[in-house]
Amino acid sequence: MLILEDVDVYYGNVQALHGVSLRVEEGEIVTLIGSNGAGKTTTLRTISGLQSPRAGKITFCGQRIDGMPAEKIVGLGIAQSPEGRRIFTNLTVRENLQMGAYLERDKSKVRERLERVEALFPRLQERASQPGGTLSGGEQQMLAIGRALMTGPRLLLLDEPSLGIAPILVQEIFREIERINRELGTTILLVEQNAHIALRLAQRGYVLETGRIVLEDACPALQKNPQVREAYLG
């Protein structure tokens, strides 16, 4: 479904990604792990069209998307739930979700997606009329994921969904991520610092260090890899 080939990304004169290559097959959960500053968020932003690669190639379902405007990439079926959630704090929960469907003109599809999201995250339905800024961190993360799902994505990019969230809600959110993949059939590329939970959830994983892919394997093999265990699994 998604292929990155030798992607280089710069911020000014500073190179953030060095020849990054990865693939995501339809129906998979694939995780990208690494320390702070490794380039994980830059990778997702480049896929989403928020950052332009200086070299390399990105294809989605056989169509080249590097250099394409972000809104067109969303229209093709890629949605991102960003690091830090970035919800609209002054809008209600329901309005935040509806904003996710801004490209969809079929009102019946918007209603169907809204019902599906609220079934996945009942807390959002309970708090539909509350301003987004009044939610807890975990509830805001549910809202950010739900807003991304309102686009009807084929590929969902998740950036640090456990960041700043109470452990009990982390488990709940990752159960729902698994449901999104299993029940909705949504392919997921997951960036996550909590390597323990990411490697348990995903089928395959990549390890990114200082902007370079240094390891790629099935997640059970990565869990047993001495390098991964020492650096990320403690």
Side-chain angles (χ1 to χ4, degrees), residues 20-83:
V20 167
S21 296
L22 61 83
R23 63 184 173 84
V24 181
E25 303 290 349
E26 188 165 4
E28 281 190 309
I29 302 177
V30 174
T31 188
L32 185 61
I33 63 173
S35 58
N36 278 333
K40 304 185 303 296
T41 292
T42 297
T43 301
L44 294 192
R45 286 175 55 84
T46 304
I47 295 166
S48 295
L50 299 172
Q51 194 72 31
S52 296
R54 192 174 293 184
K57 181 179 178 182
I58 304 173
T59 55
F60 176 65
C61 296
Q63 181 173 355
R64 190 162 179 175
I65 63 171
D66 50 283
M68 188 179 288
E71 66 272 16
K72 289 192 176 180
I73 291 174
V74 172
L76 291 177
I78 299 177
Q80 181 171 349
S81 175
E83 181 181 6

Side-chain angles (χ1 to χ4, degrees), residues 10-190:
Y10 287 76
Y11 293 105
N13 293 322
V14 178
Q15 189 167 1
L17 297 183
H18 302 258
V20 167
S21 296
L22 61 83
R23 63 184 173 84
V24 181
E25 303 290 349
E26 188 165 4
E28 281 190 309
I29 302 177
V30 174
T31 188
L32 185 61
I33 63 173
S35 58
N36 278 333
K40 304 185 303 296
T41 292
T42 297
T43 301
L44 294 192
R45 286 175 55 84
T46 304
I47 295 166
S48 295
L50 299 172
Q51 194 72 31
S52 296
R54 192 174 293 184
K57 181 179 178 182
I58 304 173
T59 55
F60 176 65
C61 296
Q63 181 173 355
R64 190 162 179 175
I65 63 171
D66 50 283
M68 188 179 288
E71 66 272 16
K72 289 192 176 180
I73 291 174
V74 172
L76 291 177
I78 299 177
Q80 181 171 349
S81 175
E83 181 181 6
R85 301 178 282 274
R86 300 188 186 182
I87 63 164
F88 300 102
T89 56
N90 294 327
L91 298 183
T92 68
V93 168
R94 179 66 57 80
E95 287 167 341
N96 266 275
L97 292 175
Q98 290 169 335
M99 286 294 289
Y102 75 99
L103 286 177
E104 182 55 66
R105 296 291 176 259
D106 187 333
K107 292 184 179 180
S108 66
K109 286 186 179 180
V110 175
R111 285 195 299 271
E112 288 171 11
R113 292 175 190 173
L114 186 60
E115 290 171 3
R116 191 179 303 137
V117 168
E118 291 181 340
L120 281 167
F121 299 113
R123 290 167 188 251
L124 300 183
Q125 186 175 27
E126 294 166 7
R127 291 158 174 71
S129 60
Q130 286 183 223
T134 66
L135 302 182
S136 70
E139 291 166 344
Q140 288 187 16
Q141 185 62 67
M142 294 175 190
L143 181 55
I145 295 172
R147 182 181 59 189
L149 289 174
M150 287 294 293
T151 70
R154 297 181 63 186
L155 174 64
L156 179 61
L157 309 178
L158 297 177
D159 195 354
E160 302 285 8
S162 74
L163 189 66
I165 296 174
I168 190 168
L169 277 181
V170 169
Q171 296 298 325
E172 182 178 342
I173 285 169
F174 274 86
R175 280 196 300 270
E176 296 312 316
I177 291 171
E178 187 175 24
R179 281 186 66 197
I180 290 165
N181 174 252
R182 185 181 67 249
E183 297 180 12
L184 304 184
T186 307
T187 305
I188 295 172
L189 178 56
L190 168 69

